Amino acid sequence: MQKVSLICLSTLYFTAKGKAIQTLRAERQKIRNTGQAPKNLAKCIVEKWSCLSMHEVIYMKAEFEPWWMFEEWEEKVVSRKTFVRKTEAEAYRHQLMEQLKRKYPQSEIREEAFAAFWREGEIEYCESCDDDMQMYHGILWLKNGSPIKSF
């Protein structure tokens, strides 16, 4: 048996959903009662939580399409929303895409991870390139920090 910090488990507790929470509650109660956890706790946590992924749906406005993900792309983020469940991220992404489709007549989608929307003539001046640049409204879907892949 080894001493375990409840902080780590609390983080999992607040990010987990559904049945996983019930399992974690039982594990936390055992640790509270004994002050110790089994030696294989790390392996147990990895097995129980490997199904959890972090999905992010990001809306950005930039002078480039979202799939380029240039070094400064995160500076262009307008909003980001995080989900544990893929279905929730997918539903939110769909809702956001429908809003942008109604607003912007031009669009291009690449894989599941990227979508760009724009209106010809929506330009902003770029000081570093000394030119007017087309503006794009982009959606990125990231899973654990990387663009989601289509299968």
Side-chain angles (χ1 to χ4, degrees):
M1 301 293 260
Q2 60 184 358
K3 294 278 183 184
V4 174
S5 168
L6 291 179
I7 295 170
C8 174
L9 292 177
S10 294
T11 302
L12 287 174
Y13 174 77
F14 288 113
T15 59
K17 298 275 186 184
K19 193 156 182 86
I21 287 179
Q22 293 172 351
T23 304
L24 186 54
R25 283 182 182 151
E27 294 295 322
R28 287 183 62 189
Q29 193 56 47
K30 286 180 196 174
I31 293 169
R32 278 197 181 110
N33 291 342
T34 64
Q36 297 185 5
K39 286 183 181 178
N40 64 350
L41 179 64
K43 181 182 176 203
C44 175
I45 288 173
V46 168
E47 288 171 1
K48 288 179 182 174
W49 309 111
S50 63
C51 61
L52 293 179
S53 298
M54 188 64 64
H55 292 268
E56 270 188 296
V57 177
I58 299 168
Y59 168 56
M60 62 182 281
K61 182 180 175 186
E63 63 277 1
F64 52 87
E65 296 93 336
W67 47 84
W68 292 112
M69 293 183 81
F70 291 126
E71 192 173 305
E72 73 278 4
W73 77 267
E74 289 196 72
E75 297 169 15
K76 310 294 183 172
V77 170
V78 175
S79 68
R80 64 186 343 140
K81 199 162 181 180
T82 306
F83 304 89
V84 174
R85 293 191 176 130
K86 179 181 178 180
T87 55
E88 292 172 344
E90 199 168 29
Y92 178 72
R93 176 182 166 268
H94 179 74
Q95 174 189 356
L96 192 54
M97 285 178 64
E98 288 301 314
Q99 289 174 3
L100 292 174
K101 278 181 191 176
R102 287 190 296 272
K103 235 174 155 176
Y104 303 99
Q106 307 286 2
S107 66
E108 186 174 341
I109 297 170
R110 292 198 180 177
E111 300 290 325
E112 277 187 282
F114 306 104
F117 301 87
W118 69 96
R119 179 183 302 112
E120 293 295 330
E122 183 182 357
I123 57 173
E124 288 188 16
Y125 182 73
C126 171
E127 287 187 36
S128 62
C129 49
D130 193 30
D131 200 3
D132 289 331
M133 303 293 289
Q134 175 67 50
M135 295 307 295
Y136 297 92
H137 300 266
I139 298 174
L140 289 85
W141 183 0
L142 306 179
K143 178 181 177 184
N144 297 327
S146 298
I148 194 159
K149 304 287 185 204
S150 297
F151 296 103

